[in-house]
PDB file of all heavy atoms in Angstrom:
ATOM      1  N   THR A 257       2.512 -10.095  27.458  1.00  0.00           N
ATOM      2  CA  THR A 257       2.177 -10.176  25.997  1.00  0.00           C
ATOM      3  C   THR A 257       2.886  -9.174  25.127  1.00  0.00           C
ATOM      4  O   THR A 257       3.282  -9.471  24.023  1.00  0.00           O
ATOM      5  CB  THR A 257       0.638  -9.983  25.836  1.00  0.00           C
ATOM      6  OG1 THR A 257       0.003 -10.686  26.890  1.00  0.00           O
ATOM      7  CG2 THR A 257       0.187 -10.492  24.456  1.00  0.00           C
ATOM      8  N   GLU A 428     -15.593  -6.852   4.328  1.00  0.00           N
ATOM      9  CA  GLU A 428     -15.954  -7.916   5.259  1.00  0.00           C
ATOM     10  C   GLU A 428     -15.269  -7.679   6.581  1.00  0.00           C
ATOM     11  O   GLU A 428     -14.187  -7.206   6.580  1.00  0.00           O
ATOM     12  CB  GLU A 428     -15.413  -9.321   4.695  1.00  0.00           C
ATOM     13  CG  GLU A 428     -16.114  -9.829   3.490  1.00  0.00           C
ATOM     14  CD  GLU A 428     -17.498 -10.335   3.735  1.00  0.00           C
ATOM     15  OE1 GLU A 428     -17.856 -10.649   4.945  1.00  0.00           O
ATOM     16  OE2 GLU A 428     -18.323 -10.437   2.766  1.00  0.00           O
ATOM     17  N   GLU A 429     -16.046  -7.862   7.661  1.00  0.00           N
ATOM     18  CA  GLU A 429     -15.462  -7.787   8.995  1.00  0.00           C
ATOM     19  C   GLU A 429     -15.364  -9.209   9.448  1.00  0.00           C
ATOM     20  O   GLU A 429     -16.318  -9.998   9.242  1.00  0.00           O
ATOM     21  CB  GLU A 429     -16.350  -7.010   9.892  1.00  0.00           C
ATOM     22  CG  GLU A 429     -16.357  -5.527   9.590  1.00  0.00           C
ATOM     23  CD  GLU A 429     -17.360  -4.765  10.500  1.00  0.00           C
ATOM     24  OE1 GLU A 429     -17.734  -5.277  11.525  1.00  0.00           O
ATOM     25  OE2 GLU A 429     -17.797  -3.663  10.086  1.00  0.00           O
ATOM     26  N   PRO A 431     -14.415 -11.765  13.017  1.00  0.00           N
ATOM     27  CA  PRO A 431     -14.230 -11.748  14.479  1.00  0.00           C
ATOM     28  C   PRO A 431     -12.846 -12.194  14.857  1.00  0.00           C
ATOM     29  O   PRO A 431     -12.166 -12.967  14.102  1.00  0.00           O
ATOM     30  CB  PRO A 431     -15.308 -12.669  15.032  1.00  0.00           C
ATOM     31  CG  PRO A 431     -15.479 -13.712  13.916  1.00  0.00           C
ATOM     32  CD  PRO A 431     -15.273 -12.945  12.623  1.00  0.00           C
ATOM     33  N   GLY A 433      -9.997 -14.364  16.313  1.00  0.00           N
ATOM     34  CA  GLY A 433      -9.912 -15.808  16.542  1.00  0.00           C
ATOM     35  C   GLY A 433     -10.476 -16.624  15.353  1.00  0.00           C
ATOM     36  O   GLY A 433     -10.595 -17.844  15.436  1.00  0.00           O
ATOM     37  N   LEU A 434     -10.768 -15.962  14.281  1.00  0.00           N
ATOM     38  CA  LEU A 434     -11.162 -16.722  13.055  1.00  0.00           C
ATOM     39  C   LEU A 434     -10.024 -17.558  12.574  1.00  0.00           C
ATOM     40  O   LEU A 434      -8.918 -17.028  12.452  1.00  0.00           O
ATOM     41  CB  LEU A 434     -11.657 -15.719  12.003  1.00  0.00           C
ATOM     42  CG  LEU A 434     -12.331 -16.407  10.786  1.00  0.00           C
ATOM     43  CD1 LEU A 434     -13.761 -16.788  11.107  1.00  0.00           C
ATOM     44  CD2 LEU A 434     -12.378 -15.402   9.620  1.00  0.00           C
ATOM     45  N   THR A 435     -10.208 -18.838  12.280  1.00  0.00           N
ATOM     46  CA  THR A 435      -9.165 -19.707  11.896  1.00  0.00           C
ATOM     47  C   THR A 435      -9.182 -20.064  10.399  1.00  0.00           C
ATOM     48  O   THR A 435      -8.256 -20.572   9.808  1.00  0.00           O
ATOM     49  CB  THR A 435      -9.094 -20.960  12.704  1.00  0.00           C
ATOM     50  OG1 THR A 435     -10.413 -21.529  12.754  1.00  0.00           O
ATOM     51  CG2 THR A 435      -8.621 -20.658  14.083  1.00  0.00           C
ATOM     52  N   SER A 438     -11.225 -19.201   4.138  1.00  0.00           N
ATOM     53  CA  SER A 438     -11.473 -19.556   2.759  1.00  0.00           C
ATOM     54  C   SER A 438     -12.751 -19.020   2.157  1.00  0.00           C
ATOM     55  O   SER A 438     -12.831 -18.611   0.990  1.00  0.00           O
ATOM     56  CB  SER A 438     -11.397 -21.157   2.666  1.00  0.00           C
ATOM     57  OG  SER A 438     -12.309 -21.699   3.578  1.00  0.00           O
ATOM     58  N   LYS A 443     -15.155 -15.208  -1.731  1.00  0.00           N
ATOM     59  CA  LYS A 443     -15.918 -13.991  -2.066  1.00  0.00           C
ATOM     60  C   LYS A 443     -15.103 -12.966  -2.657  1.00  0.00           C
ATOM     61  O   LYS A 443     -15.508 -12.295  -3.673  1.00  0.00           O
ATOM     62  CB  LYS A 443     -16.546 -13.425  -0.760  1.00  0.00           C
ATOM     63  CG  LYS A 443     -17.878 -13.969  -0.404  1.00  0.00           C
ATOM     64  CD  LYS A 443     -18.483 -13.092   0.741  1.00  0.00           C
ATOM     65  CE  LYS A 443     -19.534 -13.702   1.466  1.00  0.00           C
ATOM     66  NZ  LYS A 443     -20.023 -12.892   2.577  1.00  0.00           N
ATOM     67  N   ASP A 446     -14.317 -13.604  -6.273  1.00  0.00           N
ATOM     68  CA  ASP A 446     -15.509 -13.271  -7.055  1.00  0.00           C
ATOM     69  C   ASP A 446     -15.610 -11.779  -7.330  1.00  0.00           C
ATOM     70  O   ASP A 446     -15.866 -11.360  -8.488  1.00  0.00           O
ATOM     71  CB  ASP A 446     -16.807 -13.646  -6.361  1.00  0.00           C
ATOM     72  CG  ASP A 446     -17.284 -15.043  -6.849  1.00  0.00           C
ATOM     73  OD1 ASP A 446     -16.615 -15.666  -7.707  1.00  0.00           O
ATOM     74  OD2 ASP A 446     -18.359 -15.543  -6.405  1.00  0.00           O
ATOM     75  N   PRO A 458      -1.052  -9.816  12.943  1.00  0.00           N
ATOM     76  CA  PRO A 458       0.002 -10.536  12.277  1.00  0.00           C
ATOM     77  C   PRO A 458      -0.240 -11.971  11.918  1.00  0.00           C
ATOM     78  O   PRO A 458      -0.073 -12.407  10.795  1.00  0.00           O
ATOM     79  CB  PRO A 458       1.191 -10.416  13.262  1.00  0.00           C
ATOM     80  CG  PRO A 458       0.916  -9.189  13.968  1.00  0.00           C
ATOM     81  CD  PRO A 458      -0.562  -9.025  14.111  1.00  0.00           C
ATOM     82  N   ARG A 466      -1.808 -18.101   2.744  1.00  0.00           N
ATOM     83  CA  ARG A 466      -1.804 -19.506   2.342  1.00  0.00           C
ATOM     84  C   ARG A 466      -3.057 -19.888   1.703  1.00  0.00           C
ATOM     85  O   ARG A 466      -3.099 -20.629   0.768  1.00  0.00           O
ATOM     86  CB  ARG A 466      -1.512 -20.423   3.552  1.00  0.00           C
ATOM     87  CG  ARG A 466      -0.132 -20.271   4.078  1.00  0.00           C
ATOM     88  CD  ARG A 466       0.478 -21.652   4.516  1.00  0.00           C
ATOM     89  NE  ARG A 466       1.885 -21.487   4.583  1.00  0.00           N
ATOM     90  CZ  ARG A 466       2.543 -21.131   5.726  1.00  0.00           C
ATOM     91  NH1 ARG A 466       1.870 -20.842   6.761  1.00  0.00           N
ATOM     92  NH2 ARG A 466       3.899 -21.011   5.752  1.00  0.00           N
ATOM     93  N   GLN A 467      -4.183 -19.330   2.266  1.00  0.00           N
ATOM     94  CA  GLN A 467      -5.488 -19.689   1.630  1.00  0.00           C
ATOM     95  C   GLN A 467      -5.741 -18.966   0.306  1.00  0.00           C
ATOM     96  O   GLN A 467      -6.433 -19.493  -0.551  1.00  0.00           O
ATOM     97  CB  GLN A 467      -6.604 -19.440   2.616  1.00  0.00           C
ATOM     98  CG  GLN A 467      -6.478 -20.376   3.873  1.00  0.00           C
ATOM     99  CD  GLN A 467      -7.680 -20.451   4.717  1.00  0.00           C
ATOM    100  OE1 GLN A 467      -8.454 -19.502   4.862  1.00  0.00           O
ATOM    101  NE2 GLN A 467      -7.881 -21.598   5.305  1.00  0.00           N
ATOM    102  N   GLN A 469      -3.340 -18.544  -1.775  1.00  0.00           N
ATOM    103  CA  GLN A 469      -2.644 -19.389  -2.694  1.00  0.00           C
ATOM    104  C   GLN A 469      -3.452 -20.635  -3.043  1.00  0.00           C
ATOM    105  O   GLN A 469      -3.528 -21.168  -4.150  1.00  0.00           O
ATOM    106  CB  GLN A 469      -1.348 -19.915  -2.029  1.00  0.00           C
ATOM    107  CG  GLN A 469      -0.086 -19.130  -2.336  1.00  0.00           C
ATOM    108  CD  GLN A 469       1.064 -19.720  -1.568  1.00  0.00           C
ATOM    109  OE1 GLN A 469       1.199 -19.502  -0.357  1.00  0.00           O
ATOM    110  NE2 GLN A 469       1.923 -20.448  -2.234  1.00  0.00           N
ATOM    111  N   ALA A 470      -4.128 -21.110  -1.970  1.00  0.00           N
ATOM    112  CA  ALA A 470      -4.925 -22.312  -2.176  1.00  0.00           C
ATOM    113  C   ALA A 470      -6.041 -22.128  -3.217  1.00  0.00           C
ATOM    114  O   ALA A 470      -6.238 -23.013  -4.042  1.00  0.00           O
ATOM    115  CB  ALA A 470      -5.611 -22.667  -0.857  1.00  0.00           C
ATOM    116  N   ILE A 471      -6.680 -20.967  -3.230  1.00  0.00           N
ATOM    117  CA  ILE A 471      -7.736 -20.849  -4.173  1.00  0.00           C
ATOM    118  C   ILE A 471      -7.174 -20.082  -5.431  1.00  0.00           C
ATOM    119  O   ILE A 471      -7.923 -19.774  -6.321  1.00  0.00           O
ATOM    120  CB  ILE A 471      -8.939 -19.963  -3.642  1.00  0.00           C
ATOM    121  CG1 ILE A 471      -8.557 -18.598  -3.157  1.00  0.00           C
ATOM    122  CG2 ILE A 471      -9.601 -20.732  -2.464  1.00  0.00           C
ATOM    123  CD1 ILE A 471      -9.705 -17.673  -2.952  1.00  0.00           C
ATOM    124  N   ASP A 472      -5.881 -19.925  -5.462  1.00  0.00           N
ATOM    125  CA  ASP A 472      -5.166 -19.372  -6.621  1.00  0.00           C
ATOM    126  C   ASP A 472      -5.714 -18.034  -7.012  1.00  0.00           C
ATOM    127  O   ASP A 472      -6.081 -17.810  -8.145  1.00  0.00           O
ATOM    128  CB  ASP A 472      -5.241 -20.330  -7.810  1.00  0.00           C
ATOM    129  CG  ASP A 472      -4.106 -20.152  -8.832  1.00  0.00           C
ATOM    130  OD1 ASP A 472      -3.164 -19.400  -8.495  1.00  0.00           O
ATOM    131  OD2 ASP A 472      -4.263 -20.596  -9.951  1.00  0.00           O
ATOM    132  N   ALA A 488      10.182 -12.182   9.864  1.00  0.00           N
ATOM    133  CA  ALA A 488       9.865 -13.529   9.854  1.00  0.00           C
ATOM    134  C   ALA A 488       8.879 -13.933   8.665  1.00  0.00           C
ATOM    135  O   ALA A 488       8.876 -15.060   8.221  1.00  0.00           O
ATOM    136  CB  ALA A 488       9.218 -13.937  11.180  1.00  0.00           C
ATOM    137  N   ALA A 492       9.051 -16.983   6.116  1.00  0.00           N
ATOM    138  CA  ALA A 492       7.988 -18.070   6.058  1.00  0.00           C
ATOM    139  C   ALA A 492       7.435 -18.157   4.631  1.00  0.00           C
ATOM    140  O   ALA A 492       6.918 -19.196   4.286  1.00  0.00           O
ATOM    141  CB  ALA A 492       6.906 -17.710   7.011  1.00  0.00           C
TER     142      ALA A 492
ATOM    143  N   GLN B  49     -12.956 -27.128   0.626  1.00  0.00           N
ATOM    144  CA  GLN B  49     -12.347 -26.391   1.714  1.00  0.00           C
ATOM    145  C   GLN B  49     -12.951 -26.792   3.098  1.00  0.00           C
ATOM    146  O   GLN B  49     -12.247 -27.060   4.029  1.00  0.00           O
ATOM    147  CB  GLN B  49     -12.618 -24.874   1.509  1.00  0.00           C
ATOM    148  CG  GLN B  49     -11.638 -24.280   0.509  1.00  0.00           C
ATOM    149  CD  GLN B  49     -12.099 -22.939  -0.013  1.00  0.00           C
ATOM    150  OE1 GLN B  49     -13.109 -22.421   0.409  1.00  0.00           O
ATOM    151  NE2 GLN B  49     -11.437 -22.484  -1.067  1.00  0.00           N
ATOM    152  N   ASP B 157       7.444 -13.755  21.210  1.00  0.00           N
ATOM    153  CA  ASP B 157       6.158 -13.716  20.497  1.00  0.00           C
ATOM    154  C   ASP B 157       6.299 -13.612  18.974  1.00  0.00           C
ATOM    155  O   ASP B 157       5.343 -13.428  18.287  1.00  0.00           O
ATOM    156  CB  ASP B 157       5.327 -12.567  21.055  1.00  0.00           C
ATOM    157  CG  ASP B 157       4.610 -12.926  22.391  1.00  0.00           C
ATOM    158  OD1 ASP B 157       3.959 -13.991  22.354  1.00  0.00           O
ATOM    159  OD2 ASP B 157       4.705 -12.202  23.288  1.00  0.00           O
ATOM    160  N   LEU B 159       6.405 -14.080  15.229  1.00  0.00           N
ATOM    161  CA  LEU B 159       5.696 -15.061  14.419  1.00  0.00           C
ATOM    162  C   LEU B 159       6.670 -15.852  13.525  1.00  0.00           C
ATOM    163  O   LEU B 159       7.600 -15.323  12.988  1.00  0.00           O
ATOM    164  CB  LEU B 159       4.679 -14.362  13.442  1.00  0.00           C
ATOM    165  CG  LEU B 159       3.573 -13.520  14.040  1.00  0.00           C
ATOM    166  CD1 LEU B 159       2.739 -12.930  12.906  1.00  0.00           C
ATOM    167  CD2 LEU B 159       2.758 -14.336  14.931  1.00  0.00           C
ATOM    168  N   VAL B 162       6.662 -22.029   8.481  1.00  0.00           N
ATOM    169  CA  VAL B 162       7.409 -22.963   7.717  1.00  0.00           C
ATOM    170  C   VAL B 162       7.175 -22.656   6.193  1.00  0.00           C
ATOM    171  O   VAL B 162       6.025 -22.656   5.773  1.00  0.00           O
ATOM    172  CB  VAL B 162       7.015 -24.450   8.051  1.00  0.00           C
ATOM    173  CG1 VAL B 162       7.663 -25.406   7.133  1.00  0.00           C
ATOM    174  CG2 VAL B 162       7.336 -24.709   9.520  1.00  0.00           C
ATOM    175  N   ASN B 163       8.231 -22.472   5.479  1.00  0.00           N
ATOM    176  CA  ASN B 163       8.042 -22.216   3.983  1.00  0.00           C
ATOM    177  C   ASN B 163       8.328 -23.389   3.189  1.00  0.00           C
ATOM    178  O   ASN B 163       9.507 -23.766   3.004  1.00  0.00           O
ATOM    179  CB  ASN B 163       9.008 -20.977   3.644  1.00  0.00           C
ATOM    180  CG  ASN B 163       8.941 -20.707   2.169  1.00  0.00           C
ATOM    181  OD1 ASN B 163       7.903 -20.978   1.557  1.00  0.00           O
ATOM    182  ND2 ASN B 163       9.980 -20.081   1.664  1.00  0.00           N
ATOM    183  N   PRO B 168      -0.593 -24.923  -5.133  1.00  0.00           N
ATOM    184  CA  PRO B 168      -1.893 -25.517  -4.828  1.00  0.00           C
ATOM    185  C   PRO B 168      -2.188 -26.748  -5.735  1.00  0.00           C
ATOM    186  O   PRO B 168      -1.621 -26.867  -6.808  1.00  0.00           O
ATOM    187  CB  PRO B 168      -2.902 -24.422  -5.106  1.00  0.00           C
ATOM    188  CG  PRO B 168      -2.188 -23.388  -5.855  1.00  0.00           C
ATOM    189  CD  PRO B 168      -0.748 -23.563  -5.566  1.00  0.00           C
ATOM    190  N   LYS B 170      -4.554 -28.859  -7.987  1.00  0.00           N
ATOM    191  CA  LYS B 170      -5.712 -28.552  -8.791  1.00  0.00           C
ATOM    192  C   LYS B 170      -6.469 -29.812  -9.226  1.00  0.00           C
ATOM    193  O   LYS B 170      -5.838 -30.796  -9.765  1.00  0.00           O
ATOM    194  CB  LYS B 170      -5.351 -27.713 -10.026  1.00  0.00           C
ATOM    195  CG  LYS B 170      -4.724 -26.397  -9.671  1.00  0.00           C
ATOM    196  CD  LYS B 170      -5.189 -25.321 -10.607  1.00  0.00           C
ATOM    197  CE  LYS B 170      -4.870 -23.962 -10.051  1.00  0.00           C
ATOM    198  NZ  LYS B 170      -5.338 -22.885 -10.778  1.00  0.00           N
ATOM    199  N   SER B 175      -9.323 -25.726  -6.694  1.00  0.00           N
ATOM    200  CA  SER B 175      -7.906 -25.807  -6.258  1.00  0.00           C
ATOM    201  C   SER B 175      -7.859 -25.924  -4.727  1.00  0.00           C
ATOM    202  O   SER B 175      -8.676 -25.367  -4.029  1.00  0.00           O
ATOM    203  CB  SER B 175      -7.088 -24.672  -6.774  1.00  0.00           C
ATOM    204  OG  SER B 175      -7.405 -23.486  -6.061  1.00  0.00           O
ATOM    205  N   SER B 177      -5.495 -26.175  -1.165  1.00  0.00           N
ATOM    206  CA  SER B 177      -4.251 -25.819  -0.504  1.00  0.00           C
ATOM    207  C   SER B 177      -3.404 -27.054  -0.150  1.00  0.00           C
ATOM    208  O   SER B 177      -3.965 -27.948   0.463  1.00  0.00           O
ATOM    209  CB  SER B 177      -4.619 -24.977   0.705  1.00  0.00           C
ATOM    210  OG  SER B 177      -3.521 -25.031   1.660  1.00  0.00           O
ATOM    211  N   TYR B 180      -3.142 -27.827   3.628  1.00  0.00           N
ATOM    212  CA  TYR B 180      -4.355 -28.352   4.082  1.00  0.00           C
ATOM    213  C   TYR B 180      -4.518 -29.827   3.671  1.00  0.00           C
ATOM    214  O   TYR B 180      -5.005 -30.698   4.465  1.00  0.00           O
ATOM    215  CB  TYR B 180      -5.558 -27.567   3.654  1.00  0.00           C
ATOM    216  CG  TYR B 180      -5.854 -26.363   4.519  1.00  0.00           C
ATOM    217  CD1 TYR B 180      -5.158 -25.210   4.371  1.00  0.00           C
ATOM    218  CD2 TYR B 180      -6.866 -26.421   5.563  1.00  0.00           C
ATOM    219  CE1 TYR B 180      -5.404 -24.086   5.136  1.00  0.00           C
ATOM    220  CE2 TYR B 180      -7.135 -25.307   6.286  1.00  0.00           C
ATOM    221  CZ  TYR B 180      -6.404 -24.138   6.065  1.00  0.00           C
ATOM    222  OH  TYR B 180      -6.663 -23.038   6.932  1.00  0.00           O
ATOM    223  N   THR B 248       2.534 -25.790   9.079  1.00  0.00           N
ATOM    224  CA  THR B 248       2.632 -25.388   7.613  1.00  0.00           C
ATOM    225  C   THR B 248       1.458 -24.534   7.220  1.00  0.00           C
ATOM    226  O   THR B 248       1.427 -24.004   6.115  1.00  0.00           O
ATOM    227  CB  THR B 248       2.709 -26.611   6.741  1.00  0.00           C
ATOM    228  OG1 THR B 248       1.473 -27.366   6.966  1.00  0.00           O
ATOM    229  CG2 THR B 248       3.885 -27.492   7.055  1.00  0.00           C
ATOM    230  N   ILE B 249       0.489 -24.390   8.113  1.00  0.00           N
ATOM    231  CA  ILE B 249      -0.765 -23.624   7.729  1.00  0.00           C
ATOM    232  C   ILE B 249      -0.807 -22.283   8.462  1.00  0.00           C
ATOM    233  O   ILE B 249      -0.947 -21.238   7.843  1.00  0.00           O
ATOM    234  CB  ILE B 249      -2.011 -24.441   8.112  1.00  0.00           C
ATOM    235  CG1 ILE B 249      -1.998 -25.775   7.322  1.00  0.00           C
ATOM    236  CG2 ILE B 249      -3.228 -23.639   7.822  1.00  0.00           C
ATOM    237  CD1 ILE B 249      -3.105 -26.685   7.651  1.00  0.00           C
ATOM    238  N   VAL B 259      -6.785 -20.793  20.521  1.00  0.00           N
ATOM    239  CA  VAL B 259      -8.081 -20.576  19.786  1.00  0.00           C
ATOM    240  C   VAL B 259      -8.585 -21.897  19.306  1.00  0.00           C
ATOM    241  O   VAL B 259      -9.749 -22.212  19.443  1.00  0.00           O
ATOM    242  CB  VAL B 259      -7.852 -19.606  18.586  1.00  0.00           C
ATOM    243  CG1 VAL B 259      -9.116 -19.462  17.865  1.00  0.00           C
ATOM    244  CG2 VAL B 259      -7.307 -18.295  19.091  1.00  0.00           C
ATOM    245  N   LYS B 263     -12.112 -24.580  19.908  1.00  0.00           N
ATOM    246  CA  LYS B 263     -12.926 -25.189  18.915  1.00  0.00           C
ATOM    247  C   LYS B 263     -12.911 -26.688  19.047  1.00  0.00           C
ATOM    248  O   LYS B 263     -13.999 -27.342  18.822  1.00  0.00           O
ATOM    249  CB  LYS B 263     -12.390 -24.827  17.506  1.00  0.00           C
ATOM    250  CG  LYS B 263     -13.208 -23.700  16.910  1.00  0.00           C
ATOM    251  CD  LYS B 263     -12.807 -23.318  15.535  1.00  0.00           C
ATOM    252  CE  LYS B 263     -13.499 -21.937  15.321  1.00  0.00           C
ATOM    253  NZ  LYS B 263     -12.830 -21.149  14.346  1.00  0.00           N
ATOM    254  N   TYR B 295     -19.817 -17.906   3.870  1.00  0.00           N
ATOM    255  CA  TYR B 295     -19.964 -17.516   2.479  1.00  0.00           C
ATOM    256  C   TYR B 295     -21.262 -16.826   2.278  1.00  0.00           C
ATOM    257  O   TYR B 295     -21.389 -15.790   1.631  1.00  0.00           O
ATOM    258  CB  TYR B 295     -19.760 -18.713   1.535  1.00  0.00           C
ATOM    259  CG  TYR B 295     -19.785 -18.190   0.086  1.00  0.00           C
ATOM    260  CD1 TYR B 295     -18.610 -17.672  -0.470  1.00  0.00           C
ATOM    261  CD2 TYR B 295     -20.945 -18.187  -0.725  1.00  0.00           C
ATOM    262  CE1 TYR B 295     -18.558 -17.194  -1.729  1.00  0.00           C
ATOM    263  CE2 TYR B 295     -20.878 -17.670  -1.995  1.00  0.00           C
ATOM    264  CZ  TYR B 295     -19.755 -17.210  -2.524  1.00  0.00           C
ATOM    265  OH  TYR B 295     -19.701 -16.672  -3.789  1.00  0.00           O
ATOM    266  N   SER B 297     -23.271 -15.467   4.541  1.00  0.00           N
ATOM    267  CA  SER B 297     -23.503 -14.183   5.278  1.00  0.00           C
ATOM    268  C   SER B 297     -22.159 -13.503   5.470  1.00  0.00           C
ATOM    269  O   SER B 297     -21.495 -13.165   4.543  1.00  0.00           O
ATOM    270  CB  SER B 297     -24.235 -14.487   6.599  1.00  0.00           C
ATOM    271  OG  SER B 297     -23.369 -15.227   7.420  1.00  0.00           O
ATOM    272  N   PRO B 299     -18.458 -13.228   7.938  1.00  0.00           N
ATOM    273  CA  PRO B 299     -17.666 -14.007   8.892  1.00  0.00           C
ATOM    274  C   PRO B 299     -17.907 -13.603  10.362  1.00  0.00           C
ATOM    275  O   PRO B 299     -17.609 -14.297  11.249  1.00  0.00           O
ATOM    276  CB  PRO B 299     -16.183 -13.589   8.463  1.00  0.00           C
ATOM    277  CG  PRO B 299     -16.319 -12.470   7.568  1.00  0.00           C
ATOM    278  CD  PRO B 299     -17.683 -12.533   6.943  1.00  0.00           C
ATOM    279  N   GLN B 302     -19.741 -16.098  12.156  1.00  0.00           N
ATOM    280  CA  GLN B 302     -19.162 -17.439  12.278  1.00  0.00           C
ATOM    281  C   GLN B 302     -19.295 -18.056  13.631  1.00  0.00           C
ATOM    282  O   GLN B 302     -19.743 -19.151  13.807  1.00  0.00           O
ATOM    283  CB  GLN B 302     -17.733 -17.413  11.790  1.00  0.00           C
ATOM    284  CG  GLN B 302     -17.290 -18.767  11.309  1.00  0.00           C
ATOM    285  CD  GLN B 302     -15.748 -18.890  11.365  1.00  0.00           C
ATOM    286  OE1 GLN B 302     -15.143 -18.553  12.346  1.00  0.00           O
ATOM    287  NE2 GLN B 302     -15.204 -19.393  10.302  1.00  0.00           N
TER     288      GLN B 302
END
Side-chain angles (χ1 to χ4, degrees):
Chain A
T257 317
E428 292 287 339
E429 290 175 20
L434 189 75
T435 47
S438 51
K443 271 190 196 178
D446 262 1
R466 290 223 163 87
Q467 295 196 328
Q469 265 180 286
I471 61 166
D472 200 16
Chain B
Q49 282 160 7
D157 278 311
L159 298 183
V162 173
N163 178 22
K170 298 218 167 186
S175 74
S177 156
Y180 275 82
T248 60
I249 298 175
V259 178
K263 259 183 198 157
Y295 189 80
S297 67
Q302 203 203 47

